[in-house]
Amino acid sequence: MANIENYDFGGKRAIVRVDFNVPLDENGNITDDTRIRGALPTLKKILADGGSLILMSHMGKPKGKVNEKLSLGQIREAVATALGTDVKFVPDCMKAAEAAKELKPGEVLLLENLRFYPEEEGKPVGIDKKDPGYEEAAKEMKERQKEFAKTLASYADVYVNDAFGTAHRKHASTAVVADYFDKQDKMLGFLMEKEVKAVDAILKDIRRPFTAIMGGSKVSTKIGIIENLMDKVDNLILCGGMTYTFAKAMGGNIGTSICEDDKLDLALDIMKKAKEKGVNLVLGTDCVAADSFSNEAKTQVCSVIDIPEGWMGLDAGPESIEAFRSVILPAKTILWNGPAGVFEFENFTAGSRAIAEAIVEATDKGAFSLVGGGDSVACVNKFGLADSVSYVSTGGGALLEAIEGKTLPGIAAIGE
Ligand code: AMP
């Protein structure tokens, strides 16, 4: 693969897969432009070199059909403002050959939502996986996906993938398109490079002690990561809703707390594996229990294995917070995914806030800290601490798959 830093884009047309899947309000106004800002270093480098830009992205889930509510035309002005230059727009990503050809150095063209075509995702539409003709339809769609990718590739001289959020998908624009460029004309963008480096710091260049904090609602959705981390971490904090599956598995009374009853054996297995591998597994011991799932609920602090009937654990208690802090503060590598409580309710943010603050303290003392995956990013943003950790990942599913140790198709497609 080529390297974006050294590549000279002068006089070249670059097609860049960005993640402009930004949230919009009901009037089509952008409510958070983080993703557009994230792509700017790559886009500005290409324009500064004297290249021209063809920007492609998806927005939402139009499922292979045109849906004006998900048109990228709505964000054209915001992209123009961010880049400080006019942005042309083509309302059909398969009919952009002419506009691409006319691009002069320094000019920018934005393509319409790629997912208005089913070929982008490459899954056959209108047929169920169990239907008899499915395999045939899937095969045909793969061929159509190649043609779709080939058309996108025909617009440009060079391909850059800077969309980490979709790197775990083998879509036309994230992976297949790369097949139509020579090795020296395809590369990762700056944002992608940063994400890959951050994941490497967690999986390969680990400085010890390494503390991972996994929270959120369920153990089942995090099991792949927990298992992969078990071979790498020194301390593993499991918090949030999954606490109560563990508490119940240990024979505790958990009241009406969230629990995956079919994962009790899994919880015991995780505890056993941690012991075998010498991982210090830190589970919450006390919690802030509430008498209803509400911010205004009555609360009491109790042991996670002795929650009164009709009460539910919604946040980590003070003793748990101390235990979490004691393994976060001395850490030199930290990964955080998933809140320690129902942080959406102001009265149940203490556990997540304490984790965020401990991570910031450790980072100040030289630790590398990566926060990623949806809700923990929302947490650090809510607490105003996003700039005080080493890295906040833009990728939800992509980050989690990377940490599970899976090869991301979007990165593999670019090649070595
Ligand atoms: P996840 O998507 O699995 O990372 O889970 C994030 C969600 O877990 C957030 O919406 C939290 O409100 C929720 N959560 C965290 N702790 C608890 C808890 N003790 N009970 C119920 N939900 C929780």
Side-chain angles (χ1 to χ4, degrees):
M1 83 169 100
N3 178 290
I4 183 158
E5 184 77 52
N6 309 329
Y7 196 89
D8 181 5
F9 290 90
K12 299 211 166 145
R13 286 185 190 86
I15 190 159
V16 186
R17 176 52 156 106
V18 283
D19 181 3
F20 283 174
N21 182 27
V22 289
L24 302 176
D25 65 16
E26 59 279 11
N27 301 316
N29 299 312
I30 299 172
T31 55
D32 180 356
D33 68 349
T34 310
R35 287 176 173 161
I36 295 178
R37 284 186 285 114
L40 288 181
T42 293
L43 308 186
K44 287 194 166 162
K45 146 85 176 159
I46 295 170
L47 295 177
D49 275 4
S52 56
L53 278 176
I54 301 154
L55 304 177
M56 57 176 176
S57 177
H58 76 285
M59 179 180 272
K61 294 181 175 162
K63 302 212 162 92
K65 285 199 201 95
V66 175
N67 176 347
E68 288 309 325
K69 283 208 173 109
L70 298 174
S71 171
L72 284 169
Q74 299 172 97
I75 67 160
R76 168 192 185 162
E77 279 197 15
V79 178
T81 307
L83 283 173
T85 186
D86 189 34
V87 171
K88 298 170 202 292
F89 179 68
V90 192
D92 183 337
C93 68
M94 284 291 95
K95 297 198 176 118
E98 201 65 25
K101 215 162 101 193
E102 282 168 9
L103 280 178
K104 297 191 187 66
E107 289 189 338
V108 185
L109 176 68
L110 174 65
L111 304 184
E112 181 55 289
N113 193 341
L114 297 161
R115 290 194 191 164
F116 284 180
Y117 281 87
E119 286 85 350
E120 163 63 1
E121 293 181 77
K123 273 191 244 130
V125 266
I127 183 161
D128 197 82
K129 264 197 171 141
K130 293 180 212 109
D131 290 348
Y134 183 83
E135 258 185 37
E136 197 55 35
K139 229 162 115 193
E140 192 213 316
M141 182 51 90
K142 284 288 158 220
E143 287 311 307
R144 278 168 52 188
Q145 188 184 48
K146 281 185 200 160
E147 284 307 309
F148 180 85
K150 201 170 161 186
T151 301
L152 293 174
S154 72
Y155 301 154
D157 309 301
V158 43
Y159 168 66
V160 183
N161 189 355
D162 212 17
F164 184 69
T166 46
H168 58 318
R169 306 281 181 225
K170 195 173 178 200
H171 291 170
S173 66
T174 60
V176 186
V177 68
D179 292 345
Y180 301 96
F181 290 89
D182 290 337
K183 200 169 147 186
Q184 67 274 14
D185 292 320
K186 51 185 166 187
M187 68 203 80
L188 303 179
F190 287 122
L191 179 63
M192 270 281 225
E193 278 186 351
K194 268 205 297 197
E195 296 275 1
V196 170
K197 245 195 181 150
V199 172
D200 278 354
I202 292 292
L203 295 183
K204 294 184 189 153
D205 319 319
I206 305 166
R207 286 190 296 133
R208 297 197 178 274
F210 178 7
T211 297
I213 307 126
M214 305 298 297
S217 53
K218 294 177 178 170
V219 63
S220 56
T221 54
K222 306 272 161 92
I223 186 63
I225 303 166
I226 291 172
E227 283 187 339
N228 195 34
L229 287 174
M230 203 82 91
D231 290 324
K232 301 187 166 64
V233 297
D234 302 291
N235 306 296
L236 178 60
I237 297 173
L238 296 180
C239 55
M242 63 178 107
T243 307
Y244 308 97
T245 301
F246 283 87
K248 186 163 180 180
M250 287 185 277
N253 295 318
I254 59 163
T256 48
S257 304
I258 189 171
C259 178
E260 290 178 283
D261 282 320
D262 58 338
K263 295 290 177 285
L264 301 181
D265 287 344
L266 179 69
L268 293 175
D269 192 47
I270 289 172
M271 293 170 79
K272 190 168 142 237
K273 273 199 188 132
K275 216 175 206 169
E276 282 165 12
K277 290 178 191 276
V279 170
N280 176 27
L281 181 64
V282 182
L283 290 162
T285 49
D286 63 348
C287 68
V288 179
D291 65 352
S292 70
F293 190 76
S294 147
N295 189 45
E296 278 68 46
K298 276 200 215 128
T299 62
Q300 62 173 301
V301 173
C302 54
S303 159
V304 295
I305 51 167
D306 199 9
I307 300 176
E309 206 48 49
W311 291 67
M312 62 186 87
L314 292 188
D315 198 5
E319 192 182 272
S320 306
I321 288 176
E322 262 325 296
F324 299 165
R325 276 178 63 81
S326 73
V327 290
I328 295 172
L329 292 180
K332 286 282 166 279
T333 302
I334 302 169
L335 167 71
W336 182 24
N337 170 265
V342 184
F343 77 103
E344 296 91 336
F345 295 155
E346 208 48 52
N347 292 335
F348 301 96
T349 54
S352 304
R353 188 184 291 274
I355 288 175
E357 286 172 354
I359 294 174
V360 170
E361 267 185 74
T363 310
D364 282 346
K365 285 189 290 176
F368 174 82
S369 53
L370 168 58
V371 177
D375 278 324
S376 21
V377 175
C379 275
V380 286
N381 283 332
K382 184 174 175 139
F383 306 144
L385 296 173
D387 292 336
S388 309
V389 299
S390 309
Y391 194 70
V392 177
S393 174
T394 58
L399 177 77
L400 300 189
E401 287 196 19
I403 295 172
E404 274 181 44
K406 291 185 185 160
T407 307
L408 303 184
I411 294 170
I414 297 282
E416 294 286 297

